[in-house]
Amino acid sequence: MVQHLFSMNLKWSEGRNGTGNIIADNLKTKISIPREMKGPGIGTNPDEMLLGAAATCYLITLATLLENSKIAVLDLSMQAEGFVDVTNGVFTYEKIVHKPIIVVQDLSERQQKRIDRLAEKAEQSCMISKALKGNVQIECEVQIIQGSING
């Protein structure tokens, strides 16, 4: 068995509306509760970080699946949205929606179905998606565009 260890150092000052810092190998930023949740809105927050983890894991997994399937991708980008419900003062991360835009040179109906399947497979096989399964709903709204090498 191979196990990878990821670590992070955190520091927090004051109470609920305080601020903090996180430091990891490739991440250094301020943290606080977001303004939307009546916090100071300084730096990033757990909601953005969870969305970022899910979105980057999905996008990297999708890029890998497309490459392994020998699909020539001209451009790959994505928007991601996280939905947090507040009921009776209880915050619940309900849903993440991945909205990848995949630009390919050749787009037959068969190729489009193949890319759609890979986009779904990426969501099912991404490590973060698997960790969230059963707790946070994850949806994908894939947009596939036929482009050219020259743009």
Side-chain angles (χ1 to χ4, degrees):
M1 176 175 90
V2 176
Q3 191 174 46
H4 301 282
L5 172 66
F6 297 93
S7 64
M8 179 179 286
N9 293 309
L10 300 97
K11 185 168 176 82
W12 189 261
S13 63
E14 301 178 22
R16 181 193 185 280
N17 288 323
T19 59
N21 293 292
I22 55 175
I23 300 171
D25 284 346
N26 294 300
L27 176 65
K28 182 179 180 181
T29 189
K30 293 185 179 299
I31 55 172
S32 73
I33 294 174
R35 281 192 180 89
E36 297 86 352
M37 296 177 177
K38 298 183 178 150
I42 296 170
T44 191
N45 57 71
D47 308 281
E48 283 181 342
M49 292 180 61
L50 181 62
L51 179 60
T56 54
C57 185
Y58 173 80
L59 192 60
I60 291 167
T61 303
L62 178 58
T64 302
L65 291 173
L66 291 166
E67 179 182 45
N68 290 346
S69 296
K70 308 275 191 270
I71 294 174
V73 176
L74 301 177
D75 189 60
L76 178 59
S77 61
M78 190 172 90
Q79 180 188 13
E81 298 174 335
F83 296 85
V84 176
D85 177 66
V86 184
T87 303
N88 298 324
V90 176
F91 295 87
T92 304
Y93 215 116
E94 285 194 332
K95 178 170 69 169
I96 292 173
V97 179
H98 299 308
K99 298 180 176 182
I101 301 170
I102 306 164
V103 181
V104 294
Q105 189 168 353
D106 300 312
L107 187 59
S108 63
E109 188 177 327
R110 181 174 179 259
Q111 182 84 318
Q112 183 158 350
K113 286 180 182 177
R114 193 168 164 222
I115 293 170
D116 281 332
R117 280 194 306 274
L118 291 172
E120 186 178 320
K121 184 177 180 182
E123 187 269 310
Q124 294 167 353
S125 55
C126 160
M127 176 179 66
I128 302 299
S129 294
K130 289 192 288 189
L132 295 174
K133 191 173 185 166
N135 292 305
V136 179
Q137 179 183 348
I138 299 179
E139 298 177 3
C140 297
E141 297 175 6
V142 181
Q143 184 179 359
I144 306 166
I145 301 170
Q146 184 170 354
S148 65
I149 295 172
N150 299 329

